[in-house]
Amino acid sequence: GKRYQGANFDNYRVYADGQREILDSVKGYADNVEQMVEQGRNLVLIGSKGTGKEHLCYAVVRSASQKGLSVFWTRGVTTWSH
């Protein structure tokens, strides 16, 4: 949505313990997204509300699409509520 149109790794804010490690890990995934896709490795982020999961996902989507990859996004509530 519009809320995350400008979301990227540079403007992700770290507020809580552990967020820096997650940021680095997700950024590493995005940096190597072509290899991750080739290996069949997906990205799943799970955590408390307000910790930046969607922001990081949008940053990965942006990175993948800039590299010419197609992206499928679903929310956990949609996936696991059936």
Side-chain angles (χ1 to χ4, degrees):
K2 290 183 180 182
R3 178 177 178 184
Y4 297 105
Q5 280 182 333
N8 60 51
F9 295 113
D10 294 330
N11 61 18
Y12 177 78
R13 296 203 195 320
V14 175
Y15 294 108
D17 293 339
Q19 281 183 298
R20 171 65 54 198
E21 184 179 342
I22 297 301
L23 171 61
D24 292 342
S25 180
V26 173
K27 194 172 182 181
Y29 181 94
D31 289 344
N32 298 295
V33 70
E34 292 108 337
Q35 293 88 355
M36 297 296 175
V37 170
E38 286 174 14
Q39 295 170 9
R41 298 181 69 183
N42 297 310
L43 178 66
V44 176
L45 299 178
I46 300 170
S48 301
K49 182 177 179 179
T51 56
K53 296 177 300 296
E54 287 190 70
H55 185 114
L56 290 174
C57 284
Y58 271 94
V60 171
V61 165
R62 176 172 282 111
S63 178
S65 64
Q66 288 172 346
K67 294 176 181 182
L69 299 174
S70 297
V71 178
F72 175 77
W73 171 310
T74 187
R75 298 183 64 189
V77 70
T78 304
T79 303
W80 290 294
S81 65
H82 299 287

